[in-house]
Amino acid sequence: MAVPLAAFGAGALVALLVGVLGTVHAPSLGGTTTLGFDTVLQMKVVVSTVIGLLAILQVLGALVTYGKLGITAPSWLGTAHRTGGTIAVILSVFVAYHCLWSLGLQTVAIAGGGAVPLRTMVHGLAGCAVVGAIVVKVTAVRSRRSPGWFLPVAGGLLFALLVVVVLTSVVWYLGENGWPGSGGYS
């Protein structure tokens, strides 16, 4: 139990520190990129869509690998699963950086005095939790001394948090604005 407890403790600390950074940092577009889209927000929507799709593929890959879907896993699935997971983590950290750097963490009041919408608050807090859950998941993957339940719980936690983040960002944005245009890619 030492490994899961240490991993959850480290993940919680990282999530807390990311949240503190998001509240004390003055939001700025300096140091961000749009990857050719008109705004950072549009770029984050597109990259977050890719993350959401990768997360679904990760769950399916894990279910096949562990024989939960009744089909035999092809020999390449393990490599594809690890590669997809690595890409999803890198993209998640990339988007989290852009969220925190360009928008900060808004939990009580926005500049100008209005109340922060519930969706924005849930999205920001879940986003911080995703970064902490990544710490937990990486620990679960790398640890050879953890109990058998730890890896699926860590993966399930990360997946659930990613679903919340995607629902409160991508799904909301698409409902409000449609698919983002891009400066030269549309």
Side-chain angles (χ1 to χ4, degrees):
M1 286 300 293
V3 173
L5 289 174
F8 282 117
L13 180 61
V14 166
L16 178 65
L17 291 174
V18 167
V20 168
L21 171 68
T23 58
V24 299
H25 166 72
S28 166
L29 290 176
T32 62
T33 182
T34 63
L35 296 179
F37 289 91
D38 293 336
T39 66
V40 171
L41 188 60
Q42 289 179 351
M43 177 274 299
K44 292 187 316 172
V45 166
V46 172
V47 175
S48 295
T49 300
V50 172
I51 294 166
L53 293 172
L54 285 170
I56 291 168
L57 291 174
Q58 286 299 104
V59 169
L60 291 173
L63 291 172
V64 170
T65 298
Y66 289 104
K68 301 298 182 185
L69 297 182
I71 57 176
T72 304
S75 60
W76 52 264
L77 185 59
T79 301
H81 185 75
R82 285 187 297 280
T83 302
T86 300
I87 293 168
V89 165
I90 291 168
L91 292 176
S92 295
V93 171
F94 174 78
V95 169
Y97 164 79
H98 281 79
C99 284
L100 287 169
W101 198 258
S102 66
L103 299 172
L105 177 60
Q106 302 169 3
T107 57
V108 180
I110 53 178
V116 174
L118 180 61
R119 179 205 61 83
T120 303
M121 190 181 321
V122 169
H123 175 74
L125 294 173
C128 293
V130 163
V131 178
I134 289 172
V135 171
V136 175
K137 178 66 164 65
V138 168
T139 303
V141 166
R142 297 291 177 193
S143 174
R144 300 194 190 282
R145 299 182 313 145
S146 60
W149 59 264
F150 183 43
L151 182 57
V153 166
L157 172 66
L158 180 55
F159 178 76
L161 289 168
L162 284 171
V163 167
V164 170
V165 170
V166 168
L167 288 175
T168 56
S169 61
V170 172
V171 173
W172 168 82
Y173 184 94
L174 295 177
E176 293 287 315
N177 305 294
W179 187 254
S182 63
Y185 293 98
S186 58

